[in-house]
Amino acid sequence: MNVCVIGTGYVGLVTGAVFADLGNDVICVDMDERKVALLQNNVMPIYEPGLEEIVRKSQEDGRISFTTNTAEAVRKSKVVFIAVGTPPAADGSTNLSFVEGAARDIARAMVDYTIVVNKSTVPVGTGDFVRRTISQELEKQGRSLEFDVVSNPEFLREGSAIKDSLEPDRIVIGAPTQNVAMALLELYAPLERPMLITDVYSAELIKYASNAFLATKISFINMVANVCEQVGADVTLVSKGMGFDKRIGREFLNAGLGYGGSCFPKDVDSLNHKIKDLKEDSGILDAVTRINADRTPRFIRRIKEIAGGVSGKRIALWGLAFKPDTDDMREAKSVEVIRALVNDGAEIVAYDPIAIEKSKEVQPPLPKIEYVDNAYDAAKGADALVIMTEWNEFKLVNLERLHDLMKTPLIFDGRNIYPVERMARMGFDYVSIGRAATLENSEAAKQPAAV
């Protein structure tokens, strides 16, 4: 099938690459000439395991191409996916300006019946908005063409997007008619995965409801972690005990610094805004957002309190990306921590396996910090180590070597990657999330009343 994907961001690029890998002829469009030039030379603008290999193979086989020419790409395609950015507006709603621009470009380029698919994460009613936009643009041109608008939400996880695309839990197709749905079914048929055909409104809501529910699980276990810290319980055992219940499940019950990245924060806010707009009760999502917003400030407060302040101290920081196996810095918790510690006079020495270059592009820019090439160099001579991202290489470090390198063996672990008992045996002052801290030499241990 001839497919066009408008937008080569995270969703668009992965979607185009996977459809090409399944044997379709795919044209990916982006207005960023520099990005298109990089992709034409098989240089990926994002880090995603397996993506570069799939794109290279499809380019060699002539199944995928990259262009800035939207009109030509649309004219050659039966199905056109809109996969452009949908950034949050100041009030929490979703900015649909890029979606609107793509819809107008499609209308100007269409020469025959076209299926337009919303792949971007968009609020309920966006299918209607895209249909109206295309119809208005066609009317301006004095043309009349048949087209349909479909909702086909993505459920990709950064770091495992290729696997999620090839082995999805479900494929949701929100279509106005059965015939239109069949065209999308044909496109996805090689995957042989569960498919759900719905109306457009339901498909749009499934994506938001799914992300909001997962975010709720994260905030819930973080609320429980706060209780664990107060009463001396271990949140890892609590979440494990909860997860054995099939009605609850184990996924997304890891206590930590809360959710970040490009999806959960804006999707929760967008759904919350829609609920309020409909004058329904959004109390659950209000609480989810409030708990998540306090995760990093709470962590920062503990760092300052237990370390006895950070002014003039050398702080090693492991992990910059919002999660492992990606270089995505959007809503990364490291940004908030770095800014707070530097503002209080700390010297930050940071390391991340992938995201160092992307961290330098954060807007507004991060304060001046030192970047190093490996985890041990970051820890050398450090008064404390702060762990922000649970990369596997951090889990596998030589802890004896780490202990010897640090000036003070004090670790603040925002991701609970080490067993508490082991860290105590090895002589670390170890502070994690929702578990008893092992403190012998810290400022807090010297002044128990301040804890």
Side-chain angles (χ1 to χ4, degrees), residues 383-449:
D383 293 292
L385 165 64
V386 177
I387 301 173
M388 299 299 305
T389 313
E390 62 272 35
W391 287 93
N392 278 333
E393 73 171 82
F394 299 158
K395 299 175 183 178
L396 302 174
V397 295
N398 183 324
L399 290 173
E400 291 182 359
R401 180 181 176 188
L402 177 63
H403 186 281
D404 292 342
L405 282 171
M406 295 182 67
K407 179 180 177 182
T408 306
L410 172 59
I411 297 178
F412 297 93
D413 184 355
R415 301 299 178 183
N416 289 358
I417 67 176
Y418 301 126
V420 173
E421 298 80 6
R422 182 185 180 195
M423 301 306 284
R425 287 197 309 269
M426 301 197 71
F428 286 98
D429 283 337
Y430 182 62
V431 183
S432 54
I433 305 293
R435 304 187 294 180
T438 62
L439 300 174
E440 294 183 5
N441 304 307
S442 69
E443 292 299 319
K446 297 172 188 175
Q447 303 174 44

Side-chain angles (χ1 to χ4, degrees), residues 6 18 43 61 160 165 183 200 219 223 319 337 346 351 405 428 443:
I6 299 178
V18 168
V43 178
D61 295 343
S160 59
S165 295
V200 175
S219 282
M223 177 191 70
V337 169
Y351 168 69
L405 282 171
F428 286 98
E443 292 299 319

Side-chain angles (χ1 to χ4, degrees), residues 63-340:
R63 292 196 305 270
I64 193 169
S65 60
F66 301 93
T67 183
T68 58
N69 191 332
T70 305
E72 182 180 356
V74 171
R75 283 195 296 267
K76 290 181 177 180
S77 304
K78 176 182 179 181
V79 181
V80 178
F81 285 84
I82 297 177
V84 297
T86 52
D91 62 357
S93 62
T94 301
N95 181 343
L96 294 176
S97 59
F98 296 113
V99 173
E100 180 180 7
R104 293 194 185 283
D105 287 343
I106 292 168
R108 296 183 190 111
M110 285 167 46
V111 293
D112 203 349
Y113 172 75
T114 304
I115 299 174
V116 180
V117 184
N118 277 331
K119 195 71 172 173
S120 301
T121 300
V122 292
V124 176
T126 303
D128 290 342
F129 172 71
V130 169
R131 170 170 283 281
R132 286 196 306 271
T133 301
I134 294 175
S135 296
Q136 289 168 2
E137 194 64 32
L138 287 172
E139 188 176 340
K140 281 183 187 177
Q141 300 171 13
R143 297 197 299 152
S144 178
L145 287 171
E146 292 295 319
F147 67 94
D148 281 297
V149 177
V150 174
S151 175
N152 176 219
E154 51 84 18
F155 302 97
L156 307 180
R157 296 169 298 172
E158 294 189 44
S160 59
I162 300 299
K163 183 177 185 299
D164 290 344
S165 295
L166 294 173
E167 302 174 17
D169 294 328
R170 76 290 203 195
I171 297 164
V172 176
I173 299 170
T177 68
Q178 190 76 15
N179 287 338
V180 177
M182 290 305 296
L184 271 294
L185 288 174
E186 179 185 344
L187 192 60
Y188 282 109
L191 297 179
E192 298 182 342
R193 304 299 293 181
M195 298 194 195
L196 174 65
I197 299 175
T198 74
D199 59 274
V200 175
Y201 301 135
S202 296
E204 291 171 336
L205 190 53
I206 286 169
K207 169 67 175 182
Y208 275 104
S210 297
N211 279 359
F213 184 77
L214 295 176
T216 300
K217 290 185 74 174
I218 293 171
S219 282
F220 180 86
I221 199 62
N222 280 328
M223 177 191 70
V224 173
N226 293 346
V227 176
C228 289
E229 290 171 5
Q230 293 289 333
V231 303
D234 186 333
V235 74
T236 58
L237 297 178
V238 174
S239 62
K240 186 175 183 179
M242 292 171 60
F244 280 120
D245 189 327
K246 294 179 181 178
R247 296 168 302 174
I248 298 173
R250 300 182 182 183
E251 296 294 323
F252 291 84
L253 280 181
N254 296 320
L257 298 178
Y259 56 82
S262 63
C263 293
F264 281 12
K266 75 180 183 70
D267 290 358
V268 171
D269 286 348
S270 182
L271 179 58
N272 201 355
H273 182 274
K274 186 66 175 180
I275 292 171
K276 285 179 165 61
D277 192 48
L278 295 170
K279 298 188 180 346
E280 296 293 344
D281 187 348
S282 64
I284 289 177
L285 294 189
D286 289 336
V288 167
T289 303
R290 185 177 65 253
I291 291 169
N292 194 67
D294 189 50
R295 296 312 295 163
T296 309
R298 181 187 179 95
F299 189 57
I300 293 167
R301 292 194 296 269
R302 294 189 80 195
I303 292 172
K304 294 177 182 177
E305 180 182 83
I306 293 172
V310 297
S311 180
K313 293 184 177 178
R314 182 181 176 90
I315 308 294
L317 188 136
W318 285 0
L320 293 162
F322 90 95
K323 65 178 288 189
D325 294 319
T326 180
D327 61 355
D328 197 341
M329 291 293 298
R330 288 175 289 184
E331 298 288 337
K333 302 298 183 178
S334 63
V335 174
E336 190 175 352
V337 169
I338 289 170
R339 287 178 176 152

Side-chain angles (χ1 to χ4, degrees), residues 43-57:
V43 178
M44 299 299 105
I46 59 172
Y47 176 79
E48 179 63 37
L51 179 61
E52 183 178 347
E53 292 78 6
I54 286 183
V55 172
R56 178 186 297 112
K57 184 176 184 298

